[in-house]
Every structure is written in C-alpha cells, then in structure tokens.
Amino acid sequence: MGVTGAGKTTVGRALAEALGADYADADAFHSAGNVAKMSAGKPLDDSDRQPWLRAVGDWLGTRGATGGVVSCSALKRSYRTILRERGPGVWFLHLAGPPDVAAARVGGREDHFMPVSLVTAQYAALEPLTADEPGLTVEFVRPPEQIVEQAQRALAEIQIHPPKEVV
C-alpha cells in the first residue's frame, strides 16, 4: 500500500515471486470511469473507490492456500478494512516516503494514467498504517530487494498465524 509513485508494483511483483504467490495490480480493477477521472487529474472520492476496493478484496479472498500479493494504494483505514473483510488474513506492507520522491517518479512515467498533480491529493488522503493493523511500514526510497527481504523477515516472524494475502 502507499501513494502513487511509492513503488508498489515493483515491490509487489518481486514479493509475489519471492513468496510463490499470485500477483495483481489493483489498477487493473478500476472502472473505465475511474481511470478517465484520474487521467483528467481529478482525485477519486470514496464512492468511486467502493466498487474498486470490493473487487480487489474479492480477488484477495479467492487466492486460496498460495495467497496473493496485490499492489493497491489502500490510502485510508476504512479502505483497508474493506480489503480485510473481503480477503481475510490480509497483511499490509506500507511503502512510505517523501512526497518529492513520489512526484519525481510519477513525473518520469510515460505509460501510466496517474498524473503527477494527484500525488499531493494522495498524500492528503493518506492515513498511515497504524499499530493495530496487521502489517509493516518501510521507506520506499530503499532498494526494492531490501524492502522485499524485510517484508519476508516480517512475514516469517508471524508464521504462527501467517497472512494469506499481502497488500
């Protein structure tokens, strides 16, 4: 989880591969209307996000024994609650970091619908992962391999009750 430009796709794919789990990018679950709205530089509101979050949560809920990793902004606690309700066992990896780095990364993209103008809106909406939510917060400025290793160590520590899915 994290804002646009945090490296969710890069880290998510690498973590899924390391865990032998299925992978999905939550962007693929957006409606055409949501994509058009974001492409126009307009942030999504909660009503735009509800069907999208339910679809992502449902995907997580169907991963079975192998689990799954999905790259999803999950900016608010209420969004993460939806994901946990629809995909029991969800564990979050919050990629956190400085807005200027996220903006520079988004500005350097050529093949993504999210404009750099929405980075500020995402930071304004972000409710960081809290101590009572299952997961780990790491700095996204670290190399992806280090983030994946840290996530794997954290997951290994909770093997008594391993999560089924990682967001």
Side-chain angles (χ1 to χ4, degrees), residues 33-82:
N34 280 3
V35 172
K37 189 172 183 177
M38 290 183 287
S39 295
K42 298 176 186 172
L44 300 180
D45 59 32
D46 286 354
S47 64
D48 296 323
R49 287 189 175 97
Q50 294 305 310
W52 170 67
L53 290 164
R54 287 192 298 269
V56 172
D58 289 345
W59 182 88
L60 287 168
T62 62
R63 293 303 76 172
T66 60
V69 175
V70 64
S71 299
C72 179
S73 56
L75 296 174
K76 294 182 180 182
R77 182 184 181 100
S78 61
Y79 304 166
R80 296 187 296 271
T81 298
I82 292 169

Side-chain angles (χ1 to χ4, degrees), residues 32-155:
N34 280 3
V35 172
K37 189 172 183 177
M38 290 183 287
S39 295
K42 298 176 186 172
L44 300 180
D45 59 32
D46 286 354
S47 64
D48 296 323
R49 287 189 175 97
Q50 294 305 310
W52 170 67
L53 290 164
R54 287 192 298 269
V56 172
D58 289 345
W59 182 88
L60 287 168
T62 62
R63 293 303 76 172
T66 60
V69 175
V70 64
S71 299
C72 179
S73 56
L75 296 174
K76 294 182 180 182
R77 182 184 181 100
S78 61
Y79 304 166
R80 296 187 296 271
T81 298
I82 292 169
L83 296 173
R84 286 194 322 268
E85 287 172 348
R86 297 182 90 86
V90 169
W91 183 88
F92 297 95
L93 177 61
H94 179 187
L95 302 178
D100 60 322
V101 174
R105 289 177 176 182
V106 173
R109 292 179 181 167
E110 295 180 9
D111 60 346
H112 198 276
F113 59 83
M114 184 71 81
V116 72
S117 62
L118 290 183
V119 173
T120 301
Q122 288 213 326
Y123 273 95
L126 177 64
E127 295 172 2
L129 193 63
T130 60
D132 65 330
E133 293 179 283
L136 172 71
T137 299
V138 299
E139 289 291 319
F140 66 60
V141 294
R142 296 176 56 217
E145 313 78 51
Q146 289 180 8
I147 295 171
V148 168
E149 288 172 10
Q150 188 174 0
Q152 286 181 286
R153 283 193 305 271
L155 289 167

